[in-house]
Amino acid sequence: MKKTLIGAVVASLVATSAYAESHTEIMPAVVYDMGGKFDQSFNQAAYIGAERFMEETGIEYRDFEIQNDAQREQALRRFAQQGHNPIIAIGFSHGAAVDKVAAEFPDTDFAIVDMVVEQPNVRSIVFKEQEGSYLAGVAAAMASDSQAVGFVGGMDIPLIRKFECGFLGGARSVNPDIEFIGNMTGTDGSAWNNPTRGDELARSQFARGVDVVYHAAGGTGIGVLQAAADEGLLGIGVDSNQNGMHPGSVLTSMLKRVDNAVYDTFEDSMNGEFTYGFDVNGLAEEGVGLALDEHNEELMTPEILEAVNLARQQIIDGEVEVHDYTSDSSCPY
């Protein structure tokens, strides 16, 4: 019995030693955007990725939920001063802060989601949201009885217009004459966390004939999906899988794999494989896509799935190129 126990302890020590030799000791940290890590959307996807990394590796991380713009730079600098590495900022609004703090701490690795920061120690993680949104548009047009679909965005910025334009392109690939109504929630950070306004905008669209609405609005989108459920119509979630929020009322969710981006950033750092510059994630890289689960499997009919899968493959193969609004600030659909 004692020999067996001693043998197990020795084996454990050897394994731990081997792990330590093959992995870099890291102290990762995450700074979330406005809305917080439990927004059930963009920030929460990052939180899920960080939690998965901790559960699988045993390496703990620190995080911070900002309450105002001034805290962006403060949080990044504090983590860097404390020796955290890598540090990942969630959201384009951290761009200026990451640019400044990364320059102050050239030996610390930083990453940012949804923005390009041209510093030698920064990984810029961007997504082809237009591609995933195109698939959402295909699904919406196929599911729409009224042939009128809508979009509710959060803050009116090129990034969110990118979602909107891709969605419209997908819908009009099914029906070139489909009606479309789009609204943005606001022009500052509060637009990400206003579910009451999201509810109002969605209900206004429903009153004008829309029967499927897609949101890219962070916490504001909770109100959009609630309105769809209340009206007996369909919503489409974003970033995280929101199908379970209102089973039977959420047609699908456009997944933006921020969770994988956070996990991969931490893992690369741990393995001594952290890279800098662009990290682009589209359909081909499985960085975006649509969620299918027990909550929406009856809504996503075989016909819809066939159309979505065909469009997905055509985009990956280069047969269909989805316009990127941020390339020229226009939407040709």
Side-chain angles (χ1 to χ4, degrees), residues 10-86:
V10 170
S12 176
L13 290 173
V14 170
T16 301
S17 176
Y19 181 90
E21 290 178 3
S22 61
H23 294 81
T24 302
E25 185 175 341
I26 63 171
M27 293 174 57
V30 183
V31 181
Y32 302 105
D33 208 345
M34 300 285 263
K37 62 184 176 183
F38 298 121
D39 65 355
Q40 301 184 67
S41 188
F42 180 65
N43 286 300
Q44 190 156 337
Y47 169 73
I48 289 170
E51 285 287 297
R52 176 157 58 94
F53 177 82
M54 183 174 68
E55 290 169 5
E56 293 184 9
T57 66
I59 298 174
E60 296 185 357
Y61 71 96
R62 291 284 305 281
D63 61 3
F64 185 78
E65 300 173 80
I66 66 165
Q67 303 300 315
N68 56 65
D69 288 333
Q71 291 181 325
R72 299 182 191 279
E73 190 177 314
Q74 295 170 1
L76 291 167
R77 183 175 291 108
R78 183 174 66 252
F79 279 145
Q81 289 171 339
Q82 293 171 348
H84 288 280
N85 193 357

Side-chain angles (χ1 to χ4, degrees), residues 9-10 17 22 39 41 47 71 87 93-94 108 132 173-174 217-218 225 228 242 253 257 266 279 304 316 327 329:
V9 171
V10 170
S17 176
S22 61
D39 65 355
S41 188
Y47 169 73
Q71 291 181 325
I87 302 168
S93 295
H94 290 289
T108 299
S173 74
V174 175
L225 298 182
Q242 299 180 323
S253 297
R257 300 310 301 268
F266 289 175
D279 179 19
I304 293 176
I316 291 174
S327 67
S329 300

